[in-house]
C-alpha cells in the first residue's frame, strides 16, 4: 500500500485538474493527481486527442493532445505526482481537518485540500441496443476514435446525431475509404455549422448520410463485416463495414464520490461560484463535474475555476500566511 502526503489531492487529471496544478503551484502548494485512466488528459486524450480545439485563448487552433502535452510542460516546474489507472473510492476526514483519500488500488493520499476535477466521472459509453454489438467490440466496434489512422482506407459507419458523430463524420471523410453516418432522426442535435458541413459532404458524395434509420444488427466471422439497418418504414437494408462507431455519449458515473455527502444536482456537484467550494469544508469541485447557474462545460471555464479555487485553498495549506495576489509577468514561475 502506497501512502502519499501532499497539500492538494486532485481527483481527475483532465485539462482542468492539470491546470489546477499550475494555479496551486504559483502559490507554492504541491499537488497529487489521481485518475482512473492510464493516461493524463481526461476527455481530450481519451475521446478526441486528434481533434482541433478553437476556443483556447491564445491558440487559434490546437489539437486536444497538444493542449494536454502543453499543460504537462506548463506544470512540470511544480513536480506534480500521479496515481494513474486508479479509481478514487473513499474519503476520510481527520480530526485536524485534513483528509485521507483512498483508491481501489490501496493508495492513500493525505492532503489538506481535496479538489474534485472528475469531469463526467468514470467513462462509460452508452451502448445502443444492437444485436451482437458486444461480440464485435475490439473487432470492428469502438465507442471512441482514439487514433483516426486506425480507420485509414477502411469502410467506417458512424451512428448518432450529436456533436461527436458530426465532427467525426467530417474528420474521417478525409481519412477513411468511405464514411457512412446513420442517424435515427432527420435533424441533428449537434452544432448547426457541423450539421451543415455534413449535409454538404453528403451532397458532394463524399460521405453517405442515412437518416431516419437505426442500426439493428451486426454480422461477421472473426471481425465485423456487415451492418443491418431498419428504417422508419420498417424496410431492412445492409451495408458493408469494417468499423462501426456508435457515438451516443458517455453516461456520467460519479461513482463513490456521490456518497460523500456533497450537494449533488443533476449528477454534478453544486458549488459556490465565489471560489468553487462545495458544501463540505476543504473540498472544491472544478471543471465539468460542477454545476452552478450559467455553468458552461468548457475547458476555459474550468481554467478560470482553477484559479479561484487555488486562491481560496491557500488558507488551508498556509493558515499562518496572508495571501497577496501577484502577476506571473512580475514574479515569473518559481519552481519547487
Ligand atoms: C468530442 C468533444 C469535443 C469537445 N470540444 C471542446 C472544445 O472545442 N472546447 C472546449 O472548451 N471543450 C470541448 N469539449 C469539452 C471538454 O472536453 C471538457 O469541458 C473538458 O474535458 C473538461 O475537463 P475536466 O478536466 O473537467 O474533465 P475531464 O476531461 O472529463 O477529466 C476528468 C478526469 O477525471 C477522471 N475521474 C473521474 N472520476 C474519477 C474517480 N472516481 N477516480 C479517478 N479518476 C476519476 C476521469 O477518468 C477523467 O480523466 C469537448 C468534449 C467532447 C466530448
Amino acid at each position: 500500500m502506497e501512502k502519499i502526503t501532499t497539500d492538494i489531492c486532485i481527483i481527475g487529471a483532465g485539462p482542468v485538474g492539470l491546470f489546477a496544478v499550475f494555479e496551486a503551484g504559483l502559490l507554492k502548494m504541491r499537488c497529487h493527481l489521481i485518475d482512473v485512466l492510464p493516461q493524463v488528459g481526461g476527455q481530450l486524450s481519451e475521446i478526441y486527442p486528434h481533434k482541433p480545439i478553437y476556443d483556447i485563448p491564445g491558440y487559434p487552433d490546437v489539437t486536444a493532445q497538444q493542449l494536454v502535452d502543453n499543460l504537462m510542460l506548463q506544470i512540470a516546474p511544480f513536480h506534480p505526482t500521479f496515481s494513474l489507472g486508479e479509481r478514487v473510492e473513499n474519503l476520510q476526514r481527520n480530526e485536524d481537518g485534513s483528509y485521507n483519500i483512498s483508491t481501489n488500488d490501496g493508495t492513500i493520499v493525505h492532503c489538506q485540500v481535496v479538489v474534485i476535477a472528475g469531469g463526467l466521472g468514470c467513462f462509460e459509453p452508452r451502448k445502443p441496443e444492437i444485436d451482437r454489438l458486444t461480440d464485435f467490440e475490439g473487432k470492428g466496434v469502438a465507442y471512441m476514435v482514439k487514433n483516426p489512422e486506425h480507420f485509414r482506407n477502411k469502410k467506417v459507419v458512424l451512428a448518432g446525431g450529436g456533436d461527436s458523430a458530426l465532427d467525426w463524420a467530417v474528420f474521417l471523410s478525409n481519412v477513411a475509404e468511405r464514411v457512412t453516418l446513420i442517424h435515427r432522426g432527420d435533424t441533428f442535435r449537434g452544432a448547426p455549422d457541423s450539421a451543415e458541413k455534413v449535409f454538404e459532404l453528403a451532397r458532394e458524395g463524399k460521405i453517405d448520410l442515412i437518416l431516419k434509420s437505426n442500426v439493428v444488427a451486426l454480422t461477421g466471422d472473426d471481425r465485423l463485416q456487415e451492418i443491418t439497418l431498419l428504417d422508419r418504414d420498417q424496410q431492412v437494408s445492409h451495408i458493408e463495414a469494417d468499423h462501426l462507431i456508435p457515438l451516443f455519449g458517455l453516461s456520467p458515473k460519479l461513482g463513490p464520490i456521490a456518497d460523500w455527502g456533497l450537494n449533488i444536482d443533476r449528477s454534478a456537484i453544486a458549488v459556490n461560484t465565489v471560489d468553487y467550494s462545495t458544501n463540505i469544508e476543504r473540498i472544491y469541485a472544478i471543471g465539468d463535474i460542477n454545476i452552478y447557474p450559467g455553468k458552461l462545460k468548457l475547458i476555459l471555464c474550468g481554467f478560470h475555476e482553477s484559479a479561484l479555487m487555488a486562491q481560496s485553498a491557500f488558507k488551508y495549506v498556509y493558515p499562518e500566511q496572508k495571501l497577496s495576489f501577484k502577476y506571473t509577468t512580475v514574479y515569473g514561475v518559481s519552481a519547487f
Side-chain angles (χ1 to χ4, degrees), residues 12 14-16 35-36 42-44 48 55 88 117-119 121 287-288 297-299:
V16 177
D35 204 298
V36 68
Q43 293 174 53
L44 283 68
Y48 61 105
D55 54 355
V88 168
D288 277 12
K297 289 188 180 183
L298 284 175
I299 298 163

Side-chain angles (χ1 to χ4, degrees), residues 265-282:
D265 177 9
R266 283 163 281 168
S267 301
I269 300 170
V271 288
N272 179 344
T273 50
V274 166
D275 56 3
Y276 302 97
S277 56
T278 68
N279 58 310
I280 303 183
E281 201 183 12
R282 295 181 185 232

Side-chain angles (χ1 to χ4, degrees), residues 16 19-20 23 115-117 271-277 284-292 294-312:
V16 177
F19 192 65
E23 289 295 333
V115 173
I116 306 173
V271 288
N272 179 344
T273 50
V274 166
D275 56 3
Y276 302 97
S277 56
Y284 295 80
I286 55 175
D288 277 12
I289 201 146
N290 73 15
I291 190 159
Y292 52 83
K295 169 74 183 178
L296 285 179
K297 289 188 180 183
L298 284 175
I299 298 163
L300 72 90
C301 297
F303 287 172
H304 158 83
E305 294 162 13
S306 305
L308 269 63
M309 172 283 297
Q311 297 284 319
S312 170

Side-chain angles (χ1 to χ4, degrees), residues 11-18 34-37 39-44 46-48 51-56 86-89 117-123 163-164 167-168 250 253-257 286-289 296-302:
I11 302 169
V16 177
L18 293 177
I34 306 174
D35 204 298
V36 68
L37 295 173
Q39 77 281 330
V40 301
Q43 293 174 53
L44 283 68
E46 185 66 12
I47 306 180
Y48 61 105
K51 214 162 114 15
I53 305 176
Y54 301 105
D55 54 355
I56 303 298
E86 295 185 39
R87 178 183 150 111
V88 168
E89 300 271 321
L120 305 174
C122 298
F123 290 94
D163 280 316
S164 296
D167 289 355
W168 283 122
L250 298 166
K253 292 263 183 292
L254 265 184
I257 292 172
I286 55 175
D288 277 12
I289 201 146
L296 285 179
K297 289 188 180 183
L298 284 175
I299 298 163
L300 72 90
C301 297

